[in-house]
Every structure is written in structure tokens, then in C-alpha cells.
Amino acid sequence: MLRFLTAGESHGKGLVVIVEGLPAGLQVTAEMIGAELGRRRLGFGRGPRMRFEADELTLLAGVRHGRTLGSPVAVEIANTEWPKWTEEMSPAPGVTSKPLHQPRPGHADLPGMQKYAFSDARDVLERASARETAARVAAGALAKALLAEIGVTVVSHVVQIGSVCSARDERPGPDDLDQVDASEVRCFDPSAAESMVAEIKAAAKVGDSLGGVAEVIAYGVPVGLGSHVHWDRKLDGLLGQAMLSIQAVKGVEIGEATEGAARRGSEAHDAISWEGDAPSPDTTSSGGYRRQTNRSGGIEGGISNGEPVLARVAMKPLATLNRPVLKTVDVVTKQETVSFKERTDVTAVPAMGVVAETMMSLVLAGEALRKFGGDSVEEFRRNHDSYLASLNGAGAGT
Ligand code: EPS
């Protein structure tokens, strides 16, 4: 099975990710991982660090001559900010001269300090920071490469920033990611994108932050990933956990969950049709069946059904404000105050969309490996292809 583990603090020496369970023979280059890391830095509204910091990556292990060996893949991403932080973040014994005692409301600061018995919020915030998502995206680039071997493409686009929403019927296809990334806010609807930029400028002016929603869509997912048989094997459950683990994400919706809750059953589900007599690329992954609509977001009973897998991911406004106004308490004096000031982004929703792509890719790649197995990429692909051929030949229930 696919597993990954990250290590690293936001202003530490660097991040490391180890990805275990990839089959041998997957083509991997530093450039391809670097391209995904570059995409995560996109988006109007990010702070100055995104401009001056580069993600310097090194493939430490698991890749030889441009392909995986089946051993753990380790990637290091150096923090080019490190020289400015060597003292403050030094691993050597010592104490800080600048402890942060005024936790930010909405951040991990206070519960983290209480739980781990710290009096300096930096001991929590360094790891809680979304800098860690760079390591995840490196892992996600590998997952995406594996999914590409079986024709699965994962895309994302921003559908809401603050109160500005894109037109609901504007949805990128599998080949539209460059167009999304060309938008300043990674929004597929150009007129909404303009309003989103204006919304970010207005929030920046008053030192405030903005949340929003990104939609993630996986095309070409074969029917049969995930399972109805156990709570912890349901694909929607796995996606929910993965998405909610992204820093500042508070909600996940699969398909039209919220809208569907207000409809009657006769209008909330997706009628089934048989199109296997005239196979098309759209029916290959679903064994010849299609759904007339995709309100379920490609998942029924915790199992992918062959339609695009669709998740909407909601991010709260960042808890770090350029003009802290929310009341907090100094943990030493217990006096009312406002939080310490920390450099921040106005919004990171466009980048969160890329991280959500990563998490969707890691979940789908893990489930595809569970279903198809294979120690080499060829074996993995062969198992996938023969499964689909058996479905398309026989149809469900025979
Ligand atoms: C972050 C705050 C900012 C972001 C950082 C996440 O960092 P700094 O305070 O050093 O400017 O730039 O994100 C990244 C460095 C990154 O690579 O995404 C936070 O508090 O989460």
C-alpha cells in the first residue's frame, strides 16, 4: 500500500518526504516534481515569501536513472529562508530570546501549547504551517505519475474566494489545467477571477484574510476503488480525511452533497444507463454503464462508479492577520491582548486547490495499488487493463 510521511518545520533547514509502496519502473525526474511544487506557489494573495523563496529539491533515494526502484522514495526540499533562521530554529540546546506568548485565535497555537506544554507559540506554529504542504505536493507528483499510467488525471480549480463564486457550470476538463493555472487565482471562470482579485485586494488593504472553496476532479477513475464493506475502506471517507488534513481546511463535500440534502430522492441521484454496446472513452472506466448526471461525485456506497470523482474543499480564512484585531490572552500574564504579528498570505485558496489535487491523487493511487497491486508499473497497468477488459466483456452481475 502507498504510505508517506513528511518531516520539517516552516523555517527549519528543510522538508523531507518519504513515499513507500510505489512500484518499480515509474518514470520520475526532479523537474517533474519541481513543476508541481511551482504550481503550489501560484495564486494572487500570497505573501512575499512566495516570491523570494525557491523550492530547492533533491531526490535522495528510491530513484535511479529516472525511474523508481520499488524502494522508498525520499525527497528533500531545502528552505532557502533557513540562513535567516539558523539561530531561532537551531536544534542545539538553548532558549529563544523572542518567545511568542499571544496565540492567534483560530490557529493551532493555543491548543498546541496546552497539549505539548510549550510557552512559545513558535514551538507549535512551525509545524502547523502550510509550508509542510510542499512536501505533500512532492509525494503527490509521484502519485499523479502513477495514476497517469492508468489514464487518471486529477485537476482542481478555485470556485470561491471570500464571497465571490464562479459560475457553477464552468468546470475544467482533464486537459484544462494549464488554462486554470494561467488564471491569477486559478479560477476557470475569467469574470469571477477578476472579482476574486478585487476581493483579495480589498481584504489586503485592511490587513484581513480570506477563505474559499476549491473543486477537485479526477477523470478516468475506474469503477471499483474503495469499498462498501468497512467504514475505513470507503473512498469518500478516505477523501474526507485526506482533505480535512490540509491546513485551514474545515469542510469537504463529495458531489452535490449540500444541494442534494435539500432535494427529494427522485431528484438527488444519478439515473443509470447502458452504453456498453457502443464503447467510448467515457465508458471504458465504468464497464459500459454511465450515469446521466454526476450528483454523487463519482462515488456510490464508498465505491468509485467510473464517473469523475468530485470533491469541493472549503478553507477558512487564514488565522494569521496582517492587522490582528481578534482578542486573545497573553499566556504568561493572562491579560487580554491581540495576537503577535507574523508575516502571512491574504489568501492561499489557489494553492490549497493544488494541495487538494495532491491529496486526492495520493488517496486514488493508494486505492488503485490496493486493487491492482503490482511490483512493477507494467504489472500494475496490466492488472488494471485486464480488470477493465473483464468488466467490459461481461458487464456487472454476470
Ligand atoms: C505560512 C506563512 C507564510 C507562508 C507559508 C505558510 O510563511 P512566512 O511567515 O515565512 O512568510 O509563506 O507558506 C510557505 C512558506 C509555503 O511554502 O507554502 C503559515 O503560517 O502557514
Side-chain angles (χ1 to χ4, degrees):
M1 229 91 66
L2 196 64
R3 293 184 288 162
F4 77 101
L5 198 63
T6 72
E9 277 72 42
S10 184
H11 301 97
K13 197 166 182 189
L15 301 163
V16 178
V17 60
I18 297 180
V19 185
E20 142 71 22
L22 286 170
L26 183 66
Q27 299 208 350
V28 170
T29 61
E31 289 69 34
M32 138 199 154
I33 299 172
E36 278 300 293
L37 289 175
R39 294 186 58 236
R40 196 195 62 92
R41 308 178 76 79
L42 294 172
F44 186 78
R46 298 222 59 195
R49 186 168 169 189
M50 285 304 99
R51 285 194 298 279
F52 56 68
E53 186 169 58
D55 291 319
E56 278 179 4
L57 80 95
T58 310
L59 278 171
L60 290 178
V63 179
R64 180 167 181 250
H65 298 158
R67 81 237 189 288
T68 54
L69 297 173
S71 53
V73 175
V75 183
E76 179 193 60
I77 306 165
N79 283 341
T80 56
E81 278 277 82
W82 170 242
K84 293 182 220 155
W85 291 83
T86 47
E87 226 169 276
E88 186 60 18
M89 292 301 291
S90 169
V95 286
T96 178
S97 55
K98 298 174 278 186
L100 303 172
H101 289 156
Q102 302 89 23
R104 292 160 293 177
H107 208 277
D109 297 347
L110 184 56
M113 289 159 90
Q114 291 178 290
K115 179 175 167 64
Y116 289 92
F118 293 136
S119 58
D120 177 7
R122 185 162 303 286
D123 286 327
V124 177
L125 74 86
E126 283 290 332
R127 181 62 183 164
S129 161
R131 172 76 191 146
E132 184 261 349
T133 61
R136 298 196 201 193
V137 168
L142 304 173
K144 279 189 167 187
L146 183 68
L147 290 173
E149 295 287 338
I150 54 168
V152 176
T153 311
V154 183
V155 304
S156 73
H157 63 132
V158 170
V159 295
Q160 185 178 340
I161 289 186
S163 60
V164 182
C165 298
S166 69
R168 185 109 208 211
D169 49 1
E170 297 280 341
R171 184 165 284 157
D175 301 321
D176 291 331
L177 210 46
D178 287 347
Q179 198 181 322
V180 173
D181 288 349
S183 154
E184 275 190 297
V185 282
R186 303 197 61 256
C187 177
F188 198 55
D189 170 356
S191 76
E194 255 180 57
S195 309
M196 287 175 186
V197 169
E199 181 102 336
I200 296 167
K201 284 182 178 164
K205 219 172 181 173
V206 293
D208 221 326
S209 64
L210 292 171
V213 180
E215 190 171 76
V216 192
I217 313 149
Y219 291 99
V221 178
V223 57
L225 300 194
S227 175
H228 63 291
V229 302
H230 279 299
W231 69 271
D232 58 354
R233 289 192 54 196
K234 288 177 182 265
L235 186 60
D236 35 11
L238 296 171
L239 286 172
Q241 202 279 326
M243 296 305 180
L244 288 167
S245 77
I246 301 171
Q247 291 81 343
V249 165
K250 283 296 216 183
V252 186
E253 176 181 44
I254 306 293
E256 297 177 9
T258 312
E259 265 181 75
R263 294 195 196 119
R264 292 192 171 179
S266 56
E267 290 165 358
H269 300 288
D270 306 306
I272 300 171
S273 59
W274 170 251
E275 296 180 17
D277 294 331
S280 74
D282 283 341
T283 57
T284 311
S285 60
S286 59
Y289 296 93
R290 283 231 67 184
R291 304 295 186 281
Q292 304 293 296
T293 49
N294 189 19
R295 294 163 175 153
S296 71
I299 302 174
E300 291 168 312
I303 310 173
S304 61
N305 64 13
E307 296 293 330
V309 173
L310 207 146
R312 291 162 69 88
V313 184
M315 185 184 207
K316 67 184 178 183
L318 297 172
T320 315
L321 304 179
N322 273 313
R323 196 171 60 88
V325 287
L326 286 173
K327 280 183 196 159
T328 187
V329 172
D330 185 300
V331 296
V332 175
T333 66
K334 305 289 190 278
Q335 297 297 304
E336 185 181 302
T337 180
V338 288
S339 70
F340 58 82
K341 255 192 94 154
E342 184 83 354
R343 194 173 52 186
T344 186
D345 308 319
V346 177
T347 189
V349 176
M352 181 275 284
V354 175
V355 179
E357 270 176 41
T358 272
M359 296 313 291
M360 169 99 72
S361 301
L362 284 159
V363 168
L364 293 176
E367 286 307 296
L369 279 168
R370 189 205 282 258
K371 175 129 185 73
F372 305 120
D375 292 305
S376 67
V377 168
E378 287 76 10
E379 190 181 7
F380 170 70
R381 207 173 34 220
R382 201 164 58 234
N383 292 347
H384 164 271
D385 293 351
S386 78
Y387 164 71
L388 283 193
S390 74
L391 278 181
N392 283 293
T398 57

